[in-house]
Amino acid sequence: MRYPWCACLVLAGWAAWAAGAPVKQYQIETVAGSADLGDGGQALAAEFGNIQAVALDASGNLYLSDTDHHRVRKVAADGTVATIAGTGIAGFSGDGAPATAAQVNLPYGIAAGPTGEVYVADLGNHRVRRIARDGVISTVAGNGSCGSTGDGGPAAMALLCAPRNLLLDKSGNLYISEFDGHRVRRVSPDGTIFRVAGTGKAGFSGDGSVALLAQLAFPSGLALDRWGALYIADSQNQRIRRVTPDGLIDTVLGGAENISLLTPSAVAIDRNTVIYVADHSYSVRAYLPSRAWITVAGTGTAAFGGDGGPAASAPLTSANDLAVGPTGELYIADGMRIRRIDNDAVIQTVAGDGYVRAVEAGGSAAGARLFHPSAVALDGLGHLYIADTGTQRVRKLSLSGSIETLTGTGLAGFAGENLPAPGASMDSPMGVALDAAGNVIIAETGNHRIRRVDREDRLSTAAGTGAPGRGLEYQRAAETALRAPRGVCTGADQAWYILDSGNHRVLGVGPDGRVVLVAGSGTPGFSGDSGPARGAQLNQPAACALDKDGRLLIADTLNHRIRRLTADGTISTVAGTGTPGVSGDDGPAAAARLSAPSGIAVDAGGSLYISDTGNHRIRQVTPDGIIHTIAGGDANGFGGDGGPARTALLDSPGGLAVDPSGDLYFADTGNNRVRRLRPESEPAPPPPLVQLSVVNAASLLEGPVAPGEILSIFGDGLGPAEGVAGLFDPAGNLATQAGGAEVRFDGAAAPIFYAQAGQINLQVPYTVAGAAQTEMEISYNRNLVGRRMLPVAEASPALFPVAANQDGSPNSALEPAPRGSIVTFYGTGDGLTDGMNHSGRSAQFPYPRPTLPVTVSVAGITADVLYAGSAPELVGVFQVNARIPGGFVPPGPAAVVVKIGAASSPVLHIWLR
């Protein structure tokens, strides 16, 4: 079977490189994301990364290592949170100065001293540091290099290797577990360091003998019992081991002798000698003095829930560390949260929002809280879509600079299929793209699926069954098993491509919805250059891109290469030698070294852009085949906004997208931001947009717009030459497109009644409620044609020039209404109602009524309002039934005004007799 759209079958040959292409210089700026994590507010509303340690002091203060954010933070007894060490940028600096201005690198273990000092295992810097009561930071152990020397001498001069967990005893001795050093060491109060357990070589041996001669394997959590015995979570030996005060070691839990552990990370002991263990079973278990082994928290499945109920039935996301409080309560470092199990066995969260409630829609993108964004994509209107992996969302950045959630609730899971996208659950969205029809395509790694958000903002599965596997060719995409797909890209021919990363292959999906293998044999490795792409080996490819002629490029991430498909279906390397490293700038791209590239993009001029992720750089291959660094440098970090991109600092950049003007957007993953590179030479201004007249459809007058109001928009080139009426779907919803015309208010699509080149009639989405103004954008055939900022009011009523007499006849000079009779008026612009406020939905019984008060005056005299609410079966139209005053209103024409809230309608004249 042949698929004529498939790149491997019809790609034109790679165009000859144009000689001497100039290298642009770029300025860098942040467009989304900030360092705001909630400091100064309540810990329950704050954001944390994966918390690797928790500790308490005698005053009830709680300390935690916000490892992903390179900070140490403190939750005071009143629940407020503050950073006490770390700038948020990984590095080493600041000894002898305030800790809040210092850099730390992957802080792990924490120990709180009796006089207010705090010790931190600065794992990435191979040091242990001390934060004094006055806030000054210093190094107490480790000189910054990974090694094993220094025992018997000053701890600050010794070599440590990935210090992970800490423990402080009553005598002031500080214990350090060296994860990569396979040792536990002790620093005495005079600053001398000694080895306590482990030879430094990974393995298992020594039980029943001297701990100094025993082997450990990646030790982590530490605890002391009341007799002074030291307990060690010997993680890769799947055991809890104990070193007695006389220096002998044995196994207490785990191993073949008793219970089974799964990579234990933490151990804690309470005053009753209950041993608590956290491991990778997503649970916390307790070993009682009676030798019973019970689960105290966690269900064995990674999830979050159960607050306020029994801890034993509450799921945990990741039990990383444990601490016992002064009255026996147990604290758990549960992923992005700290949770507490009280003495009544009830669990509750005491710190961490988990990026669920604090991620608000409609706020400024520059102040938004992103967490490990992986990829970005642009639509034809200039809106930016962000795969915000750590918050389990896809976010949308509007041209006005506001950000909203397109899909995802913030809780990892799978839910919401074929329902409105904002209420759906996702698991690790890592890729995002727009297809030719404007659908948003998402690579959802944790759910082993590709999902699609359509133009009506409904979410569905486009590919993958949800169970990890390797599906066969020519199946329908939704029936084809995938394994941890990391990326997706699309072309103009309705084909799209899946980076089936866990299966080390690239798949294509054609217009018929069936899957074909494009590249990759499915076996990890590197082979196949100059041979058939389908038989070549890839290694966890993470991104792809097509240029305007349909040429496909693949980021072959763990092969440290960028590869391309040629016209006859062969594969070759465009950039990278396959050896990780950084080299080759201003030379041939194929001779340069890359490190785990995870993002690529191609501009209209043929330049290729690469996120050289492991080198913390953005690189460009110009059409002459030469590679250049255009942003970032050798070190990771954050800095440089507003200046030259070449001297800026990045941290593990990910996905890329380039707009028609040459601006390059990228996910600065490690910095929790999306940033933009702008060419220093300003591009030509875009063509002028159409001048728009926006009026109330009833009064044909301009004014503020109200939620649900019907508008008429006049201009040139707004839609098709021949008028097209809007269509209703079977559920009674008015479509948001008509004849290729589309109108959005702050990104929300408006239901359209009618579209023609010179006029569009629509309903304002209810989502504008509460705003002072709204940005309206009109596109025709996906091209932006007009934009206008409009003021927003609670209500903006106007009456249509028609009224019905009590007998049903149209009111007119020939059919005047008797005074004292009931007349029905129709209008629009009544604002929010007490109903669903569903844009585009025709009114059904019970008919919604305006939330604001409604009054009617006739000839200046207040009339009795018998009904004011939505007009049955109509969209955006309100109906008012009013009794005409009888005593003082003269016959003839009479002025009618409807007032809703503080807003009055223009005058409508009716006839009375």
PDB file of all heavy atoms in Angstrom, residues 280-291:
ATOM      1  N   HIS A 280       9.288   3.278  46.259  1.00  0.00           N
ATOM      2  CA  HIS A 280       8.684   3.558  44.964  1.00  0.00           C
ATOM      3  C   HIS A 280       7.400   2.783  44.727  1.00  0.00           C
ATOM      4  O   HIS A 280       6.947   2.675  43.579  1.00  0.00           O
ATOM      5  CB  HIS A 280       9.697   3.289  43.849  1.00  0.00           C
ATOM      6  CG  HIS A 280      10.758   4.339  43.772  1.00  0.00           C
ATOM      7  ND1 HIS A 280      11.638   4.451  42.712  1.00  0.00           N
ATOM      8  CD2 HIS A 280      11.095   5.342  44.621  1.00  0.00           C
ATOM      9  CE1 HIS A 280      12.457   5.463  42.921  1.00  0.00           C
ATOM     10  NE2 HIS A 280      12.152   6.021  44.063  1.00  0.00           N
ATOM     11  N   SER A 281       6.820   2.244  45.763  1.00  0.00           N
ATOM     12  CA  SER A 281       5.516   1.598  45.646  1.00  0.00           C
ATOM     13  C   SER A 281       4.386   2.596  45.802  1.00  0.00           C
ATOM     14  O   SER A 281       3.228   2.208  45.888  1.00  0.00           O
ATOM     15  CB  SER A 281       5.368   0.499  46.704  1.00  0.00           C
ATOM     16  OG  SER A 281       5.349   1.070  48.006  1.00  0.00           O
ATOM     17  N   TYR A 282       4.733   3.896  45.824  1.00  0.00           N
ATOM     18  CA  TYR A 282       3.742   4.960  46.014  1.00  0.00           C
ATOM     19  C   TYR A 282       2.971   4.762  47.311  1.00  0.00           C
ATOM     20  O   TYR A 282       1.750   4.924  47.369  1.00  0.00           O
ATOM     21  CB  TYR A 282       2.780   5.046  44.829  1.00  0.00           C
ATOM     22  CG  TYR A 282       3.480   5.225  43.510  1.00  0.00           C
ATOM     23  CD1 TYR A 282       3.570   4.182  42.594  1.00  0.00           C
ATOM     24  CD2 TYR A 282       4.100   6.443  43.186  1.00  0.00           C
ATOM     25  CE1 TYR A 282       4.232   4.332  41.386  1.00  0.00           C
ATOM     26  CE2 TYR A 282       4.764   6.603  41.979  1.00  0.00           C
ATOM     27  CZ  TYR A 282       4.831   5.548  41.086  1.00  0.00           C
ATOM     28  OH  TYR A 282       5.494   5.709  39.906  1.00  0.00           O
ATOM     29  N   SER A 283       3.723   4.405  48.338  1.00  0.00           N
ATOM     30  CA  SER A 283       3.098   4.222  49.638  1.00  0.00           C
ATOM     31  C   SER A 283       4.115   4.495  50.726  1.00  0.00           C
ATOM     32  O   SER A 283       5.324   4.549  50.494  1.00  0.00           O
ATOM     33  CB  SER A 283       2.535   2.796  49.779  1.00  0.00           C
ATOM     34  OG  SER A 283       3.583   1.847  49.758  1.00  0.00           O
ATOM     35  N   VAL A 284       3.601   4.705  51.924  1.00  0.00           N
ATOM     36  CA  VAL A 284       4.419   4.766  53.138  1.00  0.00           C
ATOM     37  C   VAL A 284       3.941   3.650  54.035  1.00  0.00           C
ATOM     38  O   VAL A 284       2.734   3.525  54.310  1.00  0.00           O
ATOM     39  CB  VAL A 284       4.279   6.133  53.836  1.00  0.00           C
ATOM     40  CG1 VAL A 284       5.038   6.131  55.159  1.00  0.00           C
ATOM     41  CG2 VAL A 284       4.773   7.250  52.936  1.00  0.00           C
ATOM     42  N   ARG A 285       4.877   2.819  54.486  1.00  0.00           N
ATOM     43  CA  ARG A 285       4.528   1.698  55.341  1.00  0.00           C
ATOM     44  C   ARG A 285       5.246   1.809  56.689  1.00  0.00           C
ATOM     45  O   ARG A 285       6.241   2.529  56.801  1.00  0.00           O
ATOM     46  CB  ARG A 285       4.884   0.375  54.652  1.00  0.00           C
ATOM     47  CG  ARG A 285       3.960   0.065  53.477  1.00  0.00           C
ATOM     48  CD  ARG A 285       4.378  -1.176  52.725  1.00  0.00           C
ATOM     49  NE  ARG A 285       5.529  -0.936  51.873  1.00  0.00           N
ATOM     50  CZ  ARG A 285       6.132  -1.892  51.162  1.00  0.00           C
ATOM     51  NH1 ARG A 285       5.701  -3.141  51.238  1.00  0.00           N
ATOM     52  NH2 ARG A 285       7.159  -1.599  50.397  1.00  0.00           N
ATOM     53  N   ALA A 286       4.712   1.131  57.665  1.00  0.00           N
ATOM     54  CA  ALA A 286       5.269   1.184  59.022  1.00  0.00           C
ATOM     55  C   ALA A 286       5.536  -0.219  59.533  1.00  0.00           C
ATOM     56  O   ALA A 286       4.715  -1.138  59.358  1.00  0.00           O
ATOM     57  CB  ALA A 286       4.320   1.912  59.952  1.00  0.00           C
ATOM     58  N   TYR A 287       6.694  -0.350  60.183  1.00  0.00           N
ATOM     59  CA  TYR A 287       7.056  -1.608  60.833  1.00  0.00           C
ATOM     60  C   TYR A 287       6.940  -1.381  62.328  1.00  0.00           C
ATOM     61  O   TYR A 287       7.671  -0.588  62.927  1.00  0.00           O
ATOM     62  CB  TYR A 287       8.474  -2.003  60.446  1.00  0.00           C
ATOM     63  CG  TYR A 287       8.885  -3.384  60.901  1.00  0.00           C
ATOM     64  CD1 TYR A 287       8.243  -4.516  60.420  1.00  0.00           C
ATOM     65  CD2 TYR A 287       9.934  -3.547  61.803  1.00  0.00           C
ATOM     66  CE1 TYR A 287       8.627  -5.792  60.821  1.00  0.00           C
ATOM     67  CE2 TYR A 287      10.330  -4.820  62.207  1.00  0.00           C
ATOM     68  CZ  TYR A 287       9.671  -5.937  61.720  1.00  0.00           C
ATOM     69  OH  TYR A 287      10.056  -7.189  62.127  1.00  0.00           O
ATOM     70  N   LEU A 288       5.973  -2.051  62.951  1.00  0.00           N
ATOM     71  CA  LEU A 288       5.642  -1.821  64.345  1.00  0.00           C
ATOM     72  C   LEU A 288       6.545  -2.656  65.255  1.00  0.00           C
ATOM     73  O   LEU A 288       7.096  -3.690  64.838  1.00  0.00           O
ATOM     74  CB  LEU A 288       4.181  -2.172  64.589  1.00  0.00           C
ATOM     75  CG  LEU A 288       3.155  -1.510  63.669  1.00  0.00           C
ATOM     76  CD1 LEU A 288       1.750  -1.956  64.047  1.00  0.00           C
ATOM     77  CD2 LEU A 288       3.270  -0.002  63.687  1.00  0.00           C
ATOM     78  N   PRO A 289       6.715  -2.239  66.514  1.00  0.00           N
ATOM     79  CA  PRO A 289       7.491  -3.059  67.455  1.00  0.00           C
ATOM     80  C   PRO A 289       6.959  -4.476  67.592  1.00  0.00           C
ATOM     81  O   PRO A 289       7.702  -5.403  67.934  1.00  0.00           O
ATOM     82  CB  PRO A 289       7.371  -2.272  68.768  1.00  0.00           C
ATOM     83  CG  PRO A 289       7.167  -0.857  68.341  1.00  0.00           C
ATOM     84  CD  PRO A 289       6.323  -0.936  67.100  1.00  0.00           C
ATOM     85  N   SER A 290       5.671  -4.653  67.293  1.00  0.00           N
ATOM     86  CA  SER A 290       5.077  -5.994  67.338  1.00  0.00           C
ATOM     87  C   SER A 290       5.448  -6.835  66.126  1.00  0.00           C
ATOM     88  O   SER A 290       4.987  -7.969  65.999  1.00  0.00           O
ATOM     89  CB  SER A 290       3.556  -5.870  67.408  1.00  0.00           C
ATOM     90  OG  SER A 290       3.057  -5.270  66.221  1.00  0.00           O
ATOM     91  N   ARG A 291       6.261  -6.278  65.223  1.00  0.00           N
ATOM     92  CA  ARG A 291       6.703  -6.909  63.985  1.00  0.00           C
ATOM     93  C   ARG A 291       5.614  -6.944  62.919  1.00  0.00           C
ATOM     94  O   ARG A 291       5.771  -7.607  61.875  1.00  0.00           O
ATOM     95  CB  ARG A 291       7.262  -8.318  64.225  1.00  0.00           C
ATOM     96  CG  ARG A 291       8.485  -8.347  65.129  1.00  0.00           C
ATOM     97  CD  ARG A 291       9.025  -9.765  65.293  1.00  0.00           C
ATOM     98  NE  ARG A 291      10.189  -9.774  66.170  1.00  0.00           N
ATOM     99  CZ  ARG A 291      11.440  -9.579  65.769  1.00  0.00           C
ATOM    100  NH1 ARG A 291      11.675  -9.346  64.486  1.00  0.00           N
ATOM    101  NH2 ARG A 291      12.434  -9.611  66.635  1.00  0.00           N
TER     102      ARG A 291
END
